[in-house]
């Protein structure tokens, strides 16, 4: 079958494209811009890529799958509809792709990419479809010739309800994407409840207030009492977390922070439920190498480390700042400077007080323009809201020859050459801080 993807450059849609290519389907796709992801699809998956969108790209397709960002006015969407080609949103396509698989789905407000990648490490014989690039297998997809799939399940549009979960992990639940849920918390929480009810095996963080309230048979992790003796260390300069889990002994995993121990513990309990031997789980924990854009060390020099992090919600950023302070101490750095690109006007407004609190303890905070992600511009006084910080409002950032440069109106207004520098955001800041913008 020939399947075309509109918006194939996205991390989620590209994972589905690669997975279907490995399953024997011919794939093609289009996007607004060429990227590392589209190049990978063209080179390694024989996908015909069209940049930018063009109506001829859908010719000959049996199915067209489109990303959530694609509107009915898109020229390829319009042409596919005129030709009578089956059109499926990413959400709708999940039933077709995962409907006959044994799916181990990982959901939650925070930590689901990390937990998914960890679970994929603990079940090395499984397929994996995750919303980030695993450094263990260098992709957002791992293909295996069997029915087992580790899948990162997305709650933003209720698409996790189409993921056919055999096992479901939920890390935590916190209202997000409320514009989709019409700002109705009952609708939002019911979506999670329905997701868990679909699974035969459920593994949850039972110290999350909502998850604790559910009357469902589940494997329950109580982090404050089940996870003990957490210790942080450097292994060949790389951050690691060690911890004891219940009476199962000690585990060690890449990453820093109590949240890393929690994510790993959930993955370990899930792997045990799926019949993985304990000692193999312990050994496979060490295979997890982290994921791209999550505490991602993109420059590691003795006097200067630069980290790229996808954190774009106050809870995520707060946990990572805590981990950064630990790492700063382990490396002996004097300064922690942070560059933040807010993601979406709606998220920034809805969580402004949380954002103001979550950067506590940084030496300097640089704020870039809000990444709109298709939203209409709204005037938000970020300079006023963050006035308690040593603050620098800027336009862009780049990195060249090991120096992080902050730009305002085309001029370099700050250079960071020492200490720990971290960039936060889900927009194009990842390309800026890597010097690829």
């Amino acid at each position: 079958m020939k399947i075309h993807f509109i918006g194939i450059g996205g991390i989620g849609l590209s994972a589905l494209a690669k997975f279907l290519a490995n399953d024997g389907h011919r794939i093609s796709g289009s996007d607004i811009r060429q990227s590392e992801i589209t190049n990978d699809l063209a080179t390694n998956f024989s996908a015909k890529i069209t940049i930018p969108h063009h109506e001829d790209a859908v010719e000959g397709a049996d199915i067209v799958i489109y990303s959530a960002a694609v509107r009915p006015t898109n020229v390829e969407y319009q042409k596919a509809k005129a030709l009578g080609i089956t059109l499926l949103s990413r959400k709708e396509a999940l039933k077709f792709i995962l409907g006959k698989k044994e799916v181990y789905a990982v959901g939650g407000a925070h930590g689901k990419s990390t937990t998914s990648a960890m679970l994929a490490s603990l079940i090395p014989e499984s397929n994996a479809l995750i919303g980030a690039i695993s450094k263990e297998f260098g992709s957002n997809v791992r293909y295996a010739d069997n029915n087992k799939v580790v899948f990162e399940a997305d709650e933003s549009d209720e698409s996790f309800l189409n993921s056919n979960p055999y096992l479901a992990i939920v890390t935590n639940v916190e209202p997000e994407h409320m514009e989709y849920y019409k700002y109705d918390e009952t609708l939002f929480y019911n979506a999670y409840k329905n997701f868990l009810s679909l699974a035969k095996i459920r593994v949850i963080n039972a110290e999350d207030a909502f998850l604790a309230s559910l009357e469902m048979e589940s494997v329950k992790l109580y982090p404050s009492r089940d996870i003990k003796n957490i210790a942080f260390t450097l292994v060949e300069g790389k951050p690691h977390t060690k911890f004891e889990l219940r009476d199962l002994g000690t585990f060690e995993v890449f990453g820093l922070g109590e949240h890393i121990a929690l994510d790993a513990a959930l993955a370990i309990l899930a792997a045990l439920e799926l019949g993985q031997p304990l000692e193999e789980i312990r050994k496979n924990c060490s295979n997890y190498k982290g994921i791209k854009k999550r505490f991602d060390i993109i420059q590691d020099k003795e006097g200067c480390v630069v980290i790229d992090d996808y954190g774009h919600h106050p809870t995520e950023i707060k946990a990572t700042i805590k981990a950064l302070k630990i790492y700063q101490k382990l490396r002996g750095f004097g300064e922690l400077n942070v560059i933040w690109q807010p993601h979406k006007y709606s998220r920034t407004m809805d969580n402004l007080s949380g954002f103001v609190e979550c950067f506590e303890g940084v030496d300097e905070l640089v704020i870039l323009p809000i990444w709109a992600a298709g939203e209409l511009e709204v005037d938000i006084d970020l300079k006023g809201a963050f006035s308690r910080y040593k603050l620098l409002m800027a336009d862009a950032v780049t990195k060249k020859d090991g120096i992080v440069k902050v730009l305002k109106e085309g001029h370099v207004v700050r250079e960071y050459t020492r200490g720990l520098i971290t960039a936060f955001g889900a927009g194009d800041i990842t390309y800026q801080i890597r010097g690829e913008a």
Side-chain angles (χ1 to χ4, degrees):
M1 196 180 291
K2 186 182 177 188
I3 303 172
H4 181 77
F5 293 81
I6 310 176
I8 201 168
I11 195 74
L13 212 61
S14 64
L16 298 184
K18 293 175 188 178
F19 188 70
L20 288 171
N22 284 326
D23 248 2
H25 298 282
R26 288 181 297 131
I27 61 168
S28 63
S30 62
D31 217 304
I32 294 169
R33 58 175 260 180
Q34 186 178 1
S35 66
E36 186 180 340
I37 290 174
T38 58
N39 292 343
D40 177 41
L41 286 158
T43 304
N44 298 315
F45 296 86
S46 303
K48 183 183 177 184
I49 303 296
T50 302
I51 306 289
H53 304 294
H54 192 283
E55 62 177 19
D56 293 347
V58 303
E59 295 276 358
D62 299 299
I63 295 175
V64 170
I65 299 173
Y66 57 94
S67 79
V70 170
R71 300 287 175 259
T73 52
N74 177 280
V75 291
E76 294 179 22
Y77 184 102
Q78 290 283 321
K79 186 65 178 285
K81 193 173 181 182
L83 292 173
I85 299 170
T86 300
L87 273 160
L88 298 174
S89 67
R90 178 186 177 274
K91 176 180 176 178
E92 293 165 337
L94 291 180
K95 285 187 175 180
F96 155 65
I97 296 167
L98 299 174
K100 295 180 180 178
K101 307 291 186 184
E102 183 173 290
V103 180
Y104 315 138
V106 182
H110 315 295
K112 56 182 175 282
S113 293
T114 298
T115 307
S116 302
M118 287 174 171
L119 186 61
S121 296
L122 301 185
I123 311 175
E125 72 276 14
S126 67
N127 293 276
L129 278 163
I130 59 177
I133 304 297
S134 165
K135 292 187 175 180
E136 180 187 342
F137 43 89
S139 178
N140 52 346
V141 172
R142 181 178 65 199
Y143 187 72
D145 191 16
N146 61 48
N147 218 31
K148 302 174 180 178
V149 185
V150 173
F151 179 71
E152 180 179 340
D154 182 13
E155 82 285 0
S156 67
D157 59 356
E158 289 185 295
S159 62
F160 60 177
L161 299 181
N162 291 348
S163 64
N164 184 37
Y166 173 79
L167 174 144
I169 297 175
V170 177
T171 57
N172 43 57
V173 179
E174 187 172 348
E176 253 274 66
H177 314 288
M178 292 307 290
E179 64 278 9
Y180 173 84
Y181 292 98
K182 302 180 176 63
Y183 290 90
D184 184 334
E185 290 196 356
T186 301
L187 287 177
F188 172 80
Y189 286 117
N190 278 342
Y192 269 102
K193 189 174 181 178
N194 293 336
F195 168 62
L196 281 164
S197 70
L198 294 170
K200 291 182 175 64
I201 302 170
R202 293 172 280 273
V203 182
I204 63 170
N205 170 9
E207 288 180 352
D208 175 273
F210 169 71
L211 294 173
S213 73
L214 296 178
E215 295 180 1
M216 289 186 192
E217 186 178 338
S218 306
V219 176
K220 297 178 180 179
L221 174 74
Y222 295 89
S224 65
R225 69 174 190 236
D226 291 342
I227 302 172
K228 299 180 280 262
N229 297 324
I230 299 176
F232 309 114
T233 184
L234 296 177
V235 178
E236 297 178 353
K238 301 291 188 289
H240 280 69
T241 296
K242 291 176 75 171
F243 62 95
E244 292 174 18
L245 176 60
R246 295 182 175 171
D247 59 354
L248 301 172
T250 301
F251 298 86
E252 184 174 326
V253 67
F254 175 91
L256 279 183
E258 293 174 4
H259 63 296
I260 293 293
L262 188 153
D263 294 343
L266 288 167
I268 290 163
L269 294 178
L272 285 169
E273 287 296 311
L274 294 169
Q276 295 294 113
L278 176 60
E279 291 313 314
E280 283 189 25
I281 291 172
R282 201 184 317 279
K283 185 181 112 183
N284 288 335
C285 257
S286 64
N287 292 333
Y288 175 70
K289 304 289 191 301
I291 50 181
K292 191 173 180 181
K293 299 205 295 185
R294 309 299 197 282
F295 209 97
D296 193 358
I297 300 170
I298 59 172
Q299 174 176 301
D300 189 354
K301 295 184 175 181
E302 188 176 338
C304 182
V305 168
V306 181
I307 291 175
D308 179 21
D309 194 275
Y310 189 69
H312 53 284
H313 184 279
T315 302
E316 297 164 348
I317 293 172
K318 187 175 182 180
T320 304
I321 293 287
K322 193 173 179 182
L324 286 166
K325 299 297 281 186
I326 296 165
Y327 186 64
Q328 179 186 12
K329 189 175 179 181
L330 288 171
R331 292 293 298 259
F333 289 134
E335 287 187 7
L336 168 59
N337 297 306
V338 166
I339 303 156
W340 175 46
Q341 182 187 56
H343 186 256
K344 298 177 74 171
Y345 290 95
S346 58
R347 178 179 286 119
T348 306
M349 287 190 297
D350 290 348
N351 298 281
L352 188 57
S353 61
F355 281 123
V356 170
E357 297 295 328
C358 73
F359 293 103
E360 197 66 49
V362 307
D363 291 287
E364 183 166 56
L365 176 63
V366 178
I367 300 181
L368 302 184
I370 294 171
W371 181 258
E375 292 185 342
L376 293 174
E377 185 175 339
V378 178
D379 188 27
I380 304 174
D381 182 16
L382 293 178
K383 187 175 182 181
F386 288 84
S387 59
R388 70 199 233 192
Y389 289 90
K390 183 184 177 186
L391 184 66
L392 182 58
M393 304 299 293
D395 297 331
V397 62
T398 189
K399 183 168 71 70
K400 188 176 180 183
D401 300 327
I403 301 170
V404 174
K405 300 182 179 186
V406 181
L407 307 172
K408 179 81 172 175
E409 297 174 355
H411 300 288
V412 176
V413 292
R414 182 80 80 250
E415 290 188 348
Y416 297 121
T417 59
R418 299 197 61 77
L420 183 55
I421 304 115
T422 302
F424 282 103
D428 71 347
I429 190 169
T430 188
Y431 302 108
Q432 293 187 43
I433 197 66
R434 292 166 191 262
E436 299 170 6

